[in-house]
Amino acid sequence: MGPFLPDAVRDQAVRRPDAPAVSEGDRTVGFRALDRRSNRLGQALLAEGIEPGARVACLVRPGILSAEFLLGCAKAGLVATPLNWRLAEPELAAVARDAGFAAVITQEEFLSGALAVRAALPGARLIVDVADTAEADGTAGPDGLAYEPWLAAASDADPGRGGAGEGGTVCLQLYTSGTTGQPKGVQLTLRNLDAGDHLMREVGWDEQAVSMNAMPFFHIAGTAWLAHALVAGAHTVTVPDLVPQHVVELMERERISHVFFVPAVLHMLTSLPDIEKRDFSALRLIAYGASPPITPALLRRSMDCFGCGFLQIYGQTETAGTATRLLPEDHDPDGPRAHLLRSAGNPRADVEIRVADPLTGEPLPTGAVGEICTRSHYVTPGYWHREDDNARLFGEDGWLRTGDAGRLDAEGYLYITDRIKDMVITGGENVYPVEVEAALAEHPSVLDVAVFGTPDERWGEAVTAAVVLRPDAGRVEPEELIAFTRERIASYKKPQQVHFLDELPRNPTGKILKRVLREQFGEPS
């Protein structure tokens, strides 16, 4: 295991000082520059009187600042806490009160959100990355400091934390999306963020890799992907604002070899009218994952479009994004094991997976559907200041309860059926929406789909689908889609209602907001 992130960058700064580390637009910093700037950031925060272990917030887009923030906090023994800039100011204030931030670093466009954080915590220091970094007095905003002058005034001596022997130190705190309640702070340690030899080999990370980081910094996929690329000595090209056309142009121009996308982004990219004319010859691997699971139809379309290796990663914030993986060699849509495309893969050697009864916690036999549980060095030590939630999160023997429902086959491959709370119970039968969504996605006119339960006087719940049709689709009636699924899944699983939408509601990380759909279409029939 290791080296952990700070030591890996320290090593790269000595061995390959001028090798590109992170690019943002037309600006690139090498490993020596990143090492020194992160030293200054850590020292500047400590000089403000902030003690190791304190939480420091940032409101920034993916870029050079996000890399030096993550690294600088780890070197100083501080806990980096990226915030979702799309949250409303009262939501940011609530997170601030929960975390008790000692400081908040923000880009100028998010100053109002940072001020909401500071209003909730009047003692927190405010540092702003302003457009004009040459301000004479070094101030920014109301009682704030301009980032670049503040950084330049600090020592570039290494704060010295985050090395071997400190793997249990919390270095990152990410807040869950909060789509079903108050966001919770997931604590992650240096060891949690350590990729491990297995993951590094499977992704194919090396010093010649050119990685694209297109995920927001407040999402575990964005943070972990960045950390792993830095540990590998790869060059990371960041995407501050995810515009599909710009993403594919950047992939071509920068000769991207590795990228992580959520299914929603793959859906957007493969829908571009000129996507088949693009040159992706440098692309070695697309890793993908996050909720909801990818549909087989979208996966096959993506494989045809990009022509590279695909690696599915199943996990959640509480597992530092990692639990199981579906290797590139298991992506064979026309082979004898094509059924594996519906799975989330199997665990690597450093991860344990089991399926348990959600009520008793007892392991279930092969093929039975229950709650997915995992145990590994990737698993969080717990939520910040949430003892009751932590007690529910972990079993007595250290197994993390994911809240996801699934089953294991005889070969140890995991099949996600859905979130346990999203299961639809209709006429006494359990229906997992992902099965119905996969069936509907096979229809040539369906572009996007979400399945959920709505109240029904006769059946208890009705299986209900919200469907987005392709732009070139002709007229499609609900009855046609219902009949289409009847040929592919059991009759009791077919949707009883189909609603057509222009787009599905999603949160900032691409997760479909089924709560919103249930509220919109949840009147008893």
Side-chain angles (χ1 to χ4, degrees), residues 215 219 221 260-267 287-291 298 509-510:
M215 294 296 295
H219 191 291
F260 180 98
F261 289 135
V262 296
V265 174
L266 285 170
H267 166 73
Y288 65 96
S291 180
L298 175 57
T509 61

Side-chain angles (χ1 to χ4, degrees), residues 6-60:
D7 274 353
V9 173
R10 288 165 178 144
D11 175 66
Q12 291 289 338
V14 172
R15 293 194 303 106
R16 304 169 63 238
D18 298 321
V22 184
S23 294
E24 177 185 350
D26 58 3
R27 181 183 168 215
T28 296
V29 296
F31 277 98
R32 177 169 51 193
L34 177 62
D35 186 51
R36 290 179 177 174
R37 285 179 64 86
S38 61
N39 288 346
R40 289 183 182 276
L41 189 147
Q43 293 284 13
L45 289 169
L46 294 174
E48 296 291 342
I50 300 173
E51 298 289 335
R55 273 64 186 161
V56 179
C58 72
L59 275 161
V60 299

Side-chain angles (χ1 to χ4, degrees), residues 255-275:
R255 306 289 292 166
I256 298 298
S257 64
H258 293 71
V259 64
F260 180 98
F261 289 135
V262 296
V265 174
L266 285 170
H267 166 73
M268 289 188 289
L269 298 183
T270 57
S271 299
L272 290 172
D274 63 344
I275 191 68

Side-chain angles (χ1 to χ4, degrees), residues 228-244:
H228 297 166
L230 289 173
V231 168
H235 175 200
T236 293
V237 177
T238 61
V239 181
D241 193 15
L242 203 157
V243 178

Side-chain angles (χ1 to χ4, degrees), residues 423-432 456-463 492-493 496:
M423 182 178 69
V424 181
I425 304 176
T426 179
E429 298 282 1
N430 296 341
V431 176
Y432 293 96
D456 185 273
E457 290 184 1
R458 181 180 181 185
W459 301 109
E461 284 187 295
V463 179
Y492 71 86
K493 298 178 182 180
Q496 293 152 283

Side-chain angles (χ1 to χ4, degrees), residues 87 114 281 356 462 489:
L87 293 179
S281 57
I489 54 178

